[in-house]
Amino acid sequence: MKFLSPSLLAADFSKLGDEAELISSAGADLLHIDVMDGHFVPNITFGPSVLKSLNNRNTVPYDVHLMIENPDLYIEDFVTDKTEYIVVHQEACRHLHRTISHIKSFGIKAGVSINPATSVETLYDILPFVDLVLIMSVNPGFGGQKFIPHSLKKIERLKALREEMNLDFQIEIDGGVNEDNVSEIIASGVDIVVAGSAVFKKETKNTVLQVQNLKRIMNL
Ligand code: DX5
Ligand code: ZN
């Protein structure tokens, strides 16, 4: 089974709750929540209070992508009834094992993400402890960027490591995914696909159809 996690970053922020409900009812499996602090990445988005407001709406569970420095200080704030995953960046964690354990202590699934310039091999000793690995296929900070094709090689290496170590974490990809490249991405071994601008396409404005299109291609 392959999962689609549309990113709210590309949604209309003036009606975030409506957009979250719309993509959920269209067949999204998770809601990808991009939290940016203006330090780890050169952009600022939203914080835990937005997440808590969304809890009152009828949505699928959250896949929280923390692109922030010192994530340990804020993890508890992102624990809500609907939080399924909290994902931190390897590059932002001095004591990654401690951070992963901290997330799990709340009964939430823990993930680690790496930037395009970070090798999957740097994760070797944390892999047995994570539920998910997120490979960034653009440099984090903004939606609407171009997919970096080398990411597919990283997915294949990560998949090989998962087999070799007999582990079962999920592999997620984020950045530049669209209906033209998603089948190749799935074929490389990805389990969870994030898509922002491809879902909230400005040209067509047909978000429901975009969710259905991507899901159909992914699960062929
Ligand atoms: C980028 C974010 C992504 C972003 C993806 O830093 O982590 O989740 O929303 O947007 P698209 O799909 O437009 O590349
Ligand atoms: Zn993201």
Side-chain angles (χ1 to χ4, degrees):
M1 187 62 192
K2 305 293 179 182
F3 302 98
L4 179 65
S5 185
S7 166
L8 276 187
L9 186 64
D12 180 343
F13 279 18
S14 71
K15 46 176 187 172
L16 219 41
D18 296 341
E19 300 267 67
E21 281 190 356
L22 187 70
I23 49 179
S24 298
S25 64
D29 302 292
L30 293 162
L31 263 190
H32 187 80
I33 312 273
D34 285 306
V35 180
M36 306 186 187
D37 66 351
H39 291 273
F40 181 68
V41 288
N43 196 4
I44 300 174
T45 53
F46 35 67
S49 54
V50 172
L51 221 70
K52 283 172 186 145
S53 303
L54 284 176
N55 269 7
N56 302 321
R57 307 295 293 256
N58 193 13
T59 73
V60 289
Y62 312 144
D63 153 33
V64 182
H65 180 192
L66 295 183
M67 287 161 277
I68 62 175
E69 302 280 4
N70 293 321
D72 299 43
L73 297 179
Y74 304 99
I75 279 161
E76 191 166 359
D77 296 336
F78 289 99
V79 175
T80 76
D81 291 348
K82 287 199 187 163
T83 309
E84 180 153 347
Y85 291 99
I86 293 181
V87 182
V88 293
H89 267 262
Q90 182 255 38
E91 301 88 353
C93 297
R94 188 164 290 169
H95 302 287
L96 183 55
H97 182 274
R98 177 180 289 148
T99 307
I100 293 294
S101 308
H102 187 45
I103 297 171
K104 286 178 156 182
S105 72
F106 296 103
I108 305 281
K109 293 179 190 160
V112 61
S113 179
I114 51 171
N115 287 334
T118 306
S119 296
V120 296
E121 288 73 16
T122 63
L123 298 177
Y124 193 90
D125 289 292
I126 198 69
L127 290 179
F129 303 96
V130 299
D131 300 295
L132 176 146
V133 176
L134 169 54
I135 302 289
M136 285 307 300
S137 41
V138 298
N139 287 291
F142 304 94
Q145 302 181 78
K146 205 170 166 314
F147 184 82
I148 300 172
H150 180 75
S151 316
L152 295 178
K153 296 204 172 75
K154 293 173 76 172
I155 297 289
E156 278 159 17
R157 276 166 27 225
L158 182 60
K159 209 178 141 210
L161 276 180
R162 183 172 65 180
E163 271 161 31
E164 176 196 315
M165 298 168 85
N166 202 17
L167 297 171
D168 62 357
F169 55 82
Q170 300 279 291
I171 300 179
E172 181 175 37
I173 200 151
D174 183 8
V177 178
N178 55 47
E179 54 270 54
D180 298 327
N181 59 16
V182 73
S183 47
E184 192 186 4
I185 289 167
I186 287 292
S188 75
V190 166
D191 306 298
I192 306 175
V193 168
V194 177
S197 44
V199 165
F200 296 96
K201 250 191 178 167
K202 297 213 171 45
E203 311 88 68
T204 56
K205 284 222 158 66
N206 197 336
T207 306
V208 172
L209 197 67
Q210 285 306 118
V211 170
Q212 291 167 348
N213 267 345
L214 285 169
K215 287 263 315 183
R216 182 179 44 77
I217 304 168
M218 285 167 60
N219 288 305
L220 281 179

